[in-house]
Amino acid sequence: MLRPYCIILTVKSRGERSSPERTGTILIVDDDRVGRQLLGTLLGAEGYDLALAGSGAEALDCVAGLTPDLILLDVVMPDMDGFQVCQRLRADARLAEVPVIMVTALHDRDSRIQGIEVGADDFISKPYDRVELLTRVRAITRLNRNRRLLLDRLQAERDRTSAILEALGEAVVVTDVDGVIEYVNPAALDQTGFDRADLIGQNFRHWHTDRRLQAYYDRVDEGDKTLAWHGELISPRRDGSFYDAVLTLAPLRDSQARGRAVGFVGVQRDITPLKQAERMKDRFISNISHELRTPLSIITLLSGNLDTLYDRLEDEKRRGMIRDIRKQAQLLDDLIGDVLEIARIDSGHVPSVNRRLNLAACLREELTKQAPLAAGKALAISITGPDELPVRGDADQLRRVIRNLLNNAIKYNRQGGQVACECRAAADAADLGADWPGSDELGAGAWAAVKIADSGVGIGAKDLPRIFERFYRVKNRGNIPGTGLGLAISRELVRLHAGHIAVRSRRGQGSTFAFYLPLSGDDQNHHDH
Ligand code: ADP
């Protein structure tokens, strides 16, 4: 709010207002009322807004609520003279840049020197020449306006850059030319666990101990400050641990320093997830090679034996060897199929068909297909549940899940054992109850549930948490063929359908596998099996 004695006048003649040269607020400080008004009339006619103050104290009161574009300051005033006012203005950060024209007596050299010392920008001698006064006022207000525009633009640019840096996911570190850290963005703190105070003032060159980077710093020190560096390295965290990172370090050039480097900017990305995925892929590939070689070497061995020992072997023995060769060939085929399926899932190329289908029908059909296999082991197979269990998804993929679970239930069963299948629609997880493994981990909503329980060899507590891993197979299971990929694929496919798969088992006491998919509402009556 403006004080009552800080008079603001707007004396604009028509047409003047539109001129950008002549806008702005001028504060006139003069203890002489007539002098004040004369100046006011003169400048008001030029289109400026005016604020009038009759003393130094009034002037200071006035600027408390207003930042003028120019101050015309009389030097000789009682109580507080123009020099003191000017000094006070310059001490205030907000007002330090406001141009001040001092109005002094003619040829008063000492006053002018003193004026410059306290920060005045220009002088006008009293009695003033109107034309000279207006010219000076125009020139200085124009200069000031341009300066302000530039400063505003710079500030806006700075705010933008800083917002970008603050929002960036990559760590950004700015150092001086010797590597002393001047700025770090929030991502740098997140990545390293350090506080800002830990880092500012430290030397970034001590951050990494990488030899290549040290060699780079040596070259920088030898004078080559135009170089940039890019590479992967191990980066430390505050807690003493390390992470994989990729760093780009580039000189910051300053046009005012003739393009010389005035510092360095480092941008560092945490590539731990990328590295982990790479390691997993490497392990996967080495596992595949191993798994493919096993049946292949058995085939080679058996066929070699068959060839060399053919005449010495009885028919039954030969047939047995041929059966074994075919079994291994089948395994090889399964393995290749499973690996391709996993590769497809990993590459994200699994078609996500979102058709409404009847899961109960899929279960029954897969059961019928595997009946001969079960009969070979004299297994008793049962199925309970509704005829309709609507879900949305891809029938082939969901059949594959059912096939894997059923196949395991038969494969790892004992002679004359049982396989009990059940499917159900559940209004929510609580509706299913403790008989359904993993149902307590389900989220809200209605679920289509499928359970396959067998009376087979079961799975020990040590193996149980790992059986969904790729290639994980429980040891000492005789020679039951398998790829170790069936459950891993099943889990991925169920996950792709926003579902959940779980197991409960004890060694020697059979296993119960269950999977759950979001139950489809009655929005459509079209079924696609
Ligand atoms: P595999 O091709 O070896 O059957 P899976 O991924 O289907 O691969 O299963 C991984 C391992 O989990 C199997 O090797 C087996 O040891 C164990 N397993 C899976 N299902 C059962 C089950 N119903 N009963 C006992 N063990 C099972």
Side-chain angles (χ1 to χ4, degrees), residues 426-431 442-448 518-519:
D428 57 30
D431 193 20
L442 293 176
W447 296 93
L519 192 69

Side-chain angles (χ1 to χ4, degrees), residues 371-381 414-418:
L373 205 63
K377 257 183 159 172
L379 300 178
I381 293 195
R414 59 184 161 80
Q415 193 71 23
Q418 296 117 38

